[in-house]
Amino acid sequence: MFPELNNLLNTAPDKAEQGKLTLLCDAKTDGSFLVHHFLSFYLKANCKVCFVALIQSFSHYNIVGQKLGVSLTTARERGQLLFLEGLKSSVDIFFQAEEQPHPLQFLREANPGNLRPLYEFVQEALKPVDHEEAAWRCPVLLVDDLSVLLSLGLRAVAVLDFIHYCRATVCCKLQGNIVALVHDSGDAEDEENDILLNGLSHQSHLILRAEGLATGFCRDVHGQLRILWRRPSQPTPRRDRSLTYQYKIQDKSVSFFAKGMSPAVL
């Protein structure tokens, strides 16, 4: 995890909030560093994590995790991390019997309808077990990233339904958290992605949006991060608070600074 980002969010592994939906969004840049932050954050917070990884392999996340001070291999062996590797599963599903259930069952369907098998996988992965109640702090669902589901033929409504049921189970019933990444293509014609992004934005308690610089590539400033705290149940004028910082990604950390305050230009 990145200590500077924790400071901006006023949080730490030992005081992580529960029952929250966090939306990660990237536009014209790679926001995967946010996924790595929250993965290592919740593992260090002693939470039980179900990670639906649709972008990269387990080895990729494990290598980055080791740089951030966590071992995904160890977490998986001790039952703290349940990892669904989408890249591998998307191939395996076609070599299994059709009657055999699979979380990515929709890949077999000519007209993908819903994500019920994936929800049931999450529900089973995070359900409380008697001997684990004292071991893990709270359950966490992490998805990287939801936009891939749209690319695979699902409608935005189906993905929003999936998140709705996951919120009801993970956030409300189990008092856990959900963190999901969505890519903002910036394409006005991509209506499904806009529906997904807007729908999740209205439900989220915290939104972190990584954006590329309007001026293009810069060696010392890699982008800017907009942080929006929301209270969905409160009237609009009183529920939102936002801050914007620029950042530079380093090998094992990320530095944040106010606009125009990069050490390289001072």
Side-chain angles (χ1 to χ4, degrees), residues 6 8 10 32 45 56 62 64 81 124 131 145 148-149 161 181 192 203 206 208 211 238 247 249 257:
N6 283 340
L8 296 180
N10 191 29
S32 61
Q56 299 285 356
N62 190 40
V64 178
L81 173 67
E124 180 67 21
H131 64 84
D145 75 49
V148 172
L149 297 174
D161 285 345
L181 174 68
E192 289 295 304
Q203 302 177 48
L206 175 65
L208 280 72
E211 301 174 337
R238 301 189 326 198
Y247 63 86
I249 300 176
F257 35 83

Side-chain angles (χ1 to χ4, degrees), residues 212-250:
L213 296 175
T215 53
F217 173 77
C218 177
R219 186 181 61 182
D220 298 303
V221 182
H222 294 156
Q224 69 178 20
L225 180 69
R226 298 180 184 272
I227 306 174
L228 176 64
W229 289 267
R230 302 185 69 254
R231 296 180 179 178
S233 60
Q234 297 295 323
T236 303
R238 301 189 326 198
R239 72 185 183 190
D240 298 347
R241 180 169 66 91
S242 66
L243 293 172
T244 301
Y245 295 90
Q246 292 181 333
Y247 63 86
K248 179 181 180 180
I249 300 176
Q250 301 168 348

